[in-house]
Amino acid sequence: MTFNYAKFAARFNRGLLYAFMIALVGFTAMPIIYMVSTAFKPLDELFLYPPRFFVQKPTLRSFFDLLTATDSSIVPFSRYIFNSVFISVAIVALSLFVCSLGAYVLSKFKPPGAGFIFAVILSALMFAPQVTQIPTYLIVSKLGLVNTYWALILPKVAVAFNIFLMKQFFDQIPDALIEAAHIDGASEWKIFWRVIMAVSKPAWATLIIFTFIGNWNDYFSALVFTTSESMKTLPLAIQTLAGGPGVVARSGALAAGTFLVTLPPILIFLLFQKLIMNTMVHSGIKS
């Protein structure tokens, strides 16, 4: 039996590559692992020096401390969770519908001025969200929507990046697919929902994950557009808890709150990661 040096070298190089990637993934995941470990640490391990990376005696005490820390508030802690979930889900659903529909019209119907409209959308990508906060607040205030759910939802519905993402994907869908649906007697709404959106799962899955993460972690909007405690979102409540007196004593509660804030985006990404990878690799359907 002859020794195949080329095959051995290829396997060895592949093994080195896998080992390097596993080490890189482990290094990247260390902050998340430490956050999860800290959330379940008892008080004696939280203030241990030198600090211990992994928890030795896991406990749920920090989560009870988080609920206790917000007992003095006029609203229960579950209200913050509800606000974040409701606002994030509403923004995702409305943004998916509005941005996909707008991108479909620009991509396939090409109305008069479509090129100029798309140029305006591209120019909007150059501005940071903080730049538009003052005019947005003035509009929301004039409409009388301050301290309402609409103030936190409506400004996030039509997002330039989401329209750009969906249009670039729709541009690569063959027109022959739409024409075939027309020949079969399908209406425009049916084509949009049953054909276009069906073959665009990777694109709108990417839109969902980006939109959800961006809005779930957003505490600035709730800080600007709300005034009552009952309208606070979970990230803003955690920020308020971290900035108040006795922050050292509430280290465990803050760790538990950080874990609760971080967990949903991770779960959403794990749910849609395969479709997101398809968006990055294939970038649509080639005609």
Side-chain angles (χ1 to χ4, degrees):
M1 181 177 180
T2 60
F3 178 73
N4 193 328
Y5 179 79
K7 184 180 293 185
F8 172 79
R11 290 180 177 177
F12 180 75
N13 292 334
R14 190 181 300 112
L16 286 179
L17 178 62
Y18 287 162
F20 174 75
M21 295 301 295
I22 291 173
L24 186 62
V25 169
F27 181 77
T28 306
M30 284 179 65
I32 299 177
I33 297 174
Y34 183 75
M35 176 200 66
V36 175
S37 176
T38 305
F40 292 94
K41 284 181 180 179
L43 285 178
D44 57 341
E45 292 187 32
L46 278 173
F47 299 104
L48 189 66
Y49 185 83
R52 194 176 286 162
F53 190 86
F54 293 103
V55 58
Q56 299 295 317
K57 297 177 289 184
T59 178
L60 296 176
R61 179 66 186 178
S62 295
F63 295 91
F64 291 108
D65 290 343
L66 178 63
L67 296 177
T68 305
T70 56
D71 278 347
S72 59
S73 174
I74 58 175
V75 296
F77 184 77
S78 58
R79 176 72 181 190
Y80 304 134
I81 299 178
F82 170 79
N83 288 342
S84 288
V85 171
F86 175 75
I87 291 169
S88 299
V89 171
I91 291 175
V92 167
L94 291 176
S95 184
L96 176 62
F97 174 74
V98 172
C99 294
S100 298
L101 194 60
Y104 176 60
V105 172
L106 290 176
S107 175
K108 298 304 180 184
F109 287 87
K110 295 180 174 62
F116 174 75
I117 295 173
F118 189 61
V120 173
I121 292 173
L122 290 179
S123 65
L125 294 174
M126 297 187 298
F127 297 96
Q130 290 77 11
V131 175
T132 59
Q133 282 295 338
I134 293 178
T136 301
Y137 179 83
L138 293 176
I139 294 173
V140 170
S141 178
K142 291 293 184 182
L143 293 175
L145 300 178
V146 174
N147 205 40
T148 65
Y149 286 123
W150 290 115
L152 302 175
I153 295 173
L154 288 181
K156 305 291 189 66
V157 171
V159 181
F161 174 78
N162 292 349
I163 298 176
F164 170 77
L165 173 69
M166 298 304 294
K167 183 184 181 300
Q168 293 303 103
F169 201 96
F170 290 160
D171 284 344
Q172 299 180 69
I173 297 178
D175 292 336
L177 191 64
I178 300 176
E179 293 171 1
H182 277 301
I183 293 174
D184 290 339
S187 63
E188 293 295 344
W189 276 108
K190 193 170 185 178
I191 292 174
F192 175 70
W193 287 113
R194 298 290 183 88
V195 179
I196 300 299
M197 295 301 287
V199 300
S200 303
K201 285 183 179 180
W204 56 255
T206 304
L207 186 152
I208 287 175
I209 184 65
F210 284 168
T211 304
F212 182 86
I213 292 177
N215 290 282
W216 177 266
N217 294 326
D218 180 27
Y219 76 92
F220 188 75
S221 296
L223 180 65
V224 172
F225 295 117
T226 64
T227 56
S228 65
E229 189 72 21
S230 61
M231 292 300 299
K232 280 186 178 181
T233 57
L234 183 58
L236 180 58
I238 298 300
Q239 288 289 333
T240 304
L241 195 65
V247 63
V248 176
R250 294 198 301 266
S251 298
L254 291 176
T258 304
F259 173 74
L260 292 178
V261 171
T262 309
L263 184 60
I266 295 177
L267 296 178
I268 292 293
F269 178 80
L270 292 177
L271 183 63
F272 291 105
Q273 64 173 337
K274 185 176 180 180
L275 293 175
I276 294 174
M277 293 303 112
N278 289 338
T279 303
M280 304 304 177
V281 174
H282 301 292
S283 299
I285 301 175
K286 309 295 182 182
S287 58

